[in-house]
């Protein structure tokens, strides 16, 4: 995590400030220009995905919704079990 934040800081995307309630920590904040740049990249993709969903019938949308709910529940079940990736071992 530290190397990722170091890289983002070096590129001028985020800044670190001391955590006022925990002297050991820092608060990482996105710089406004960087956040605006990211949103200008992400919003067109989000709108495109939303447009794809509009092409499905209501019944198809319900099916997709059920699928995503079940996939999400399956992931959550593994997280609740305390399962860790091999990297965490």
């Amino acid at each position: 995590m530290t190397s990722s934040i170091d890289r983002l800081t070096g590129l001028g995307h985020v800044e670190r400030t001391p955590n006022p309630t925990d002297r050991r920590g820092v608060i990482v904040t996105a710089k406004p220009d960087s956040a605006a740049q990211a949103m200008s990249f992400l919003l067109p993709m989000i709108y495109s995905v939303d447009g794809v969903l509009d092409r499905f019938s209501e019944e198809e949308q319900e099916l997709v919704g059920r699928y995503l709910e079940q996939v999400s529940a399956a992931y959550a079940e593994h997280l609740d079990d305390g399962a860790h990736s091999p990297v965490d071992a």
Side-chain angles (χ1 to χ4, degrees):
M1 185 55 70
T2 300
S3 63
S4 295
I5 295 172
D6 287 344
R7 189 173 304 144
L8 290 169
T9 301
L11 292 169
H13 292 296
V14 300
E15 60 186 357
R16 288 181 171 108
T17 55
N19 185 331
T21 61
D22 180 357
R23 65 184 176 89
R24 300 167 297 166
V26 295
I27 296 173
V28 179
T29 307
K31 291 190 174 181
D33 289 347
S34 183
Q37 182 182 5
M39 291 311 290
S40 72
F41 179 75
L42 293 172
L43 281 177
M45 288 191 299
I46 292 168
Y47 292 140
S48 291
V49 169
D50 199 32
V52 168
L53 189 58
D54 289 340
R55 293 189 290 242
F56 287 95
S57 70
E58 192 171 316
E59 293 81 17
E60 290 170 325
Q61 289 181 21
E62 288 176 19
L63 180 63
V64 169
R66 279 200 341 258
Y67 167 77
L68 292 174
E69 286 172 0
Q70 291 179 23
V71 167
S72 179
Y75 281 132
E77 183 178 307
H78 288 278
L79 293 174
D80 291 342
D81 288 343
H84 300 284
S85 70
V87 175
D88 294 335

